[in-house]
Amino acid sequence: MNSYEHLLTELKTLGVLGSVGSVLGWDERTQMPERGAELRAEQSAMLAGIIHERFTSGKMADLLAGAASEAPVQDPHGDIAVNVRETQRSFDRERKLPAALVQALTRTAVMAQQAWAEARQKSDFASFAPWLQKIVDLKKQEAECVGYQKHIYDALLDPFEPDETTEHLRTVFQSLRGPLVDLVGRIGQSGRQAPLEILERHFPAAAQEKLARQTAEAVGFDFCAGRLDVSLHPFCSGIGPGDTRMTTRYDERYFGDAFFGVLHETGHALYSQGLPAEHAFTPLGEAISLGIHESQSRLWENFVGRGKAFWKFFLPKARAAFPEALAGVSEEQWVFAVNDVRPSLIRTESDEATYNLHILLRFELEQALMTGELSVSDVPAAWNERMRDYLGITPPDDARGCLQDIHWSGGAIGYFPTYTLGNLYAAQFYEKADQDLGGLDQQFARGEFKPLLDWLRRNIHSQGKRFSASQLVQKVTGASLSAEPLLNHLREKAAELYGV
């Protein structure tokens, strides 16, 4: 074998080891007993150390150098060029990180997530604060090791959204903030209110699960290559070819949490199941970025799942699942209810129009934590202040405030902005797919979701990391990333439902 073939073999070995870590992570959040946390921390840290040491070895450096010299790049988007370029990129970053730091981050994340779960249950930020301080300190060390040009936060964005910068994100958020605040304000003054009561009736968990599974399967999720379980915070883990796992949580007094949560995670799962298996564990078999990944979940959750056409097909199925709760509920009432716009405490339950204001809050706090402008002990107060400023409401406790998300406990600082990027990408992709496929609403009303999934598989899923996120958007839609498709979508829906 030549160097490139050896490189692929090594990447696939490392990928299999990484998939073992993914199984450990899934088990930690779904099955692991409480007292297993310390052992799991050691298991995960040891595995992360082994992978890091092997990936950053001199052998890997030689294989990369050999592969690059054997195949001069003629097509920068060709298979060899992509795999070498993206592996080199990851190698360069990982080699700057000491093995001890990698293990410390992994070990701390496991323990911190257990502490977060307990703190959230008790609504007690003070008990979680020491763990968050450890995470912040370690992430600062990581940023200093890998380096950055303008802002320390840039170093933490890169693993989630390659080539993205704090400066650009500030501009993107600014372009959304004013129009969104204006739109939400006009909706609030419209005098119209969605009939939320119909979402807050009794919806038995077993029936919710059955409908959620039915819906996930209808839009394309393969349950022979995946599963759905319960966890405190919903997530999707693409462990590898043939194994993609989703979780959700059920609230029998609120329909939307589980149903739209499953549809959201199904979007992620469809992307994972659509990645080319022949390139598994190489860059060509991996998602481009978390922003593009999020675009798939937001597209299915909001652009498909909250649409009138979707419910023309699925409302009869929902009525069959919940005959008492949905007795007398019209299609118009239901569609209005699932598209309600009003400020809310919980990000994962917020509507399309206010969602990005939740992200703006987290984006700003993360930067302040990294620069030292905000101390960990002041997080609850800073959180509540921004909730009042951006959404006009104040969390009554930590559980519904700064403890609601799992991300910081897992060390995922720099992750939150990808949610807003995902919303923007989703709007632009959906607009183009609708044009290319000749009108998606008519298809959805008949229960036909395969044309859209095929379009996504062809244009996005099958590409792996062949293109950067910005290149992909330009290639697929013929335009650079813009806030206008998302704003147009939100304005059209607000005009129809609220008359504004």
Side-chain angles (χ1 to χ4, degrees), residues 196-210 248-259 321-322 324-326 334 349:
L196 284 189
E197 178 272 331
I198 61 179
L199 298 177
E200 298 169 349
R201 297 174 181 177
H202 182 232
F203 296 92
Q208 286 193 55
E209 180 182 3
K210 182 178 179 180
T248 193
R249 58 190 178 205
Y250 299 100
D251 180 348
E252 294 198 332
R253 302 304 306 181
Y254 183 66
F255 174 85
D257 200 2
F259 185 86
F322 311 106
E324 293 184 12
L326 299 186
W334 184 257
E349 297 172 7

Side-chain angles (χ1 to χ4, degrees), residues 114-379:
Q114 297 302 308
W116 164 81
E118 184 175 346
R120 183 176 182 271
Q121 186 176 21
K122 296 178 179 178
S123 193
D124 177 20
F125 178 81
S127 66
F128 174 64
W131 287 103
L132 180 56
Q133 186 65 62
K134 290 180 181 180
I135 291 289
V136 168
D137 292 343
L138 289 169
K139 297 305 284 189
K140 286 181 179 179
Q141 291 180 45
E142 178 185 337
E144 295 301 333
C145 286
V146 301
Y148 51 90
Q149 291 186 343
K150 292 186 176 181
H151 197 289
I152 187 173
Y153 195 66
D154 291 348
L156 303 180
L157 281 172
D158 193 69
F160 304 116
E161 200 67 23
D163 300 322
E164 191 55 86
T165 66
T166 308
E167 183 178 18
H168 177 248
L169 284 178
R170 286 172 174 169
T171 302
V172 170
F173 277 74
Q174 189 61 36
S175 71
L176 281 171
R177 181 178 175 182
L180 288 177
V181 170
D182 174 69
L183 181 63
V184 172
R186 287 190 289 116
I187 288 172
Q189 295 169 6
S190 71
R192 298 186 187 179
Q193 288 195 337
L196 284 189
E197 178 272 331
I198 61 179
L199 298 177
E200 298 169 349
R201 297 174 181 177
H202 182 232
F203 296 92
Q208 286 193 55
E209 180 182 3
K210 182 178 179 180
L211 182 64
R213 290 176 64 90
Q214 184 180 17
T215 306
E217 191 169 32
V219 300
F221 183 72
D222 181 3
F223 275 98
C224 291
R227 53 184 294 128
L228 175 64
D229 294 280
V230 174
S231 68
L232 183 61
H233 191 98
F235 69 93
C236 175
S237 182
I239 292 171
D243 194 348
T244 298
R245 307 186 186 191
M246 304 186 292
T247 70
T248 193
R249 58 190 178 205
Y250 299 100
D251 180 348
E252 294 198 332
R253 302 304 306 181
Y254 183 66
F255 174 85
D257 200 2
F259 185 86
F260 289 106
V262 169
L263 202 51
H264 179 98
E265 300 307 335
T266 297
H268 284 303
L270 292 175
Y271 191 2
S272 295
Q273 291 187 337
L275 291 167
E278 66 272 21
H279 294 299
F281 305 127
T282 75
L284 282 170
E286 298 172 352
I288 297 167
S289 72
L290 285 186
I292 296 296
H293 224 311
E294 188 66 16
S295 77
Q296 303 305 283
S297 60
R298 301 298 280 181
L299 186 149
W300 286 101
E301 176 192 358
N302 291 329
F303 290 83
V304 178
R306 295 185 193 273
K308 185 185 299 184
F310 178 88
W311 287 106
K312 282 187 181 299
F313 180 73
F314 268 103
L315 188 55
K317 300 180 186 302
R319 287 196 181 105
F322 311 106
E324 293 184 12
L326 299 186
V329 175
S330 69
E331 183 181 302
E332 290 73 20
Q333 289 174 314
W334 184 257
V335 171
F336 196 4
V338 300
N339 285 286
D340 171 63
V341 174
R342 71 183 72 190
S344 60
L345 294 169
I346 307 299
R347 173 187 64 86
T348 57
E349 297 172 7
S350 64
D351 58 82
E352 292 180 89
T354 61
Y355 185 90
N356 291 305
L357 298 175
H358 286 266
I359 301 304
L360 176 62
L361 178 156
R362 291 152 173 79
F363 174 59
E364 292 177 348
L365 293 187
E366 287 187 341
Q367 292 173 69
L369 282 169
M370 287 301 105
T371 61
E373 298 172 60
L374 176 66
S375 67
V376 166
S377 61
D378 290 333
V379 164

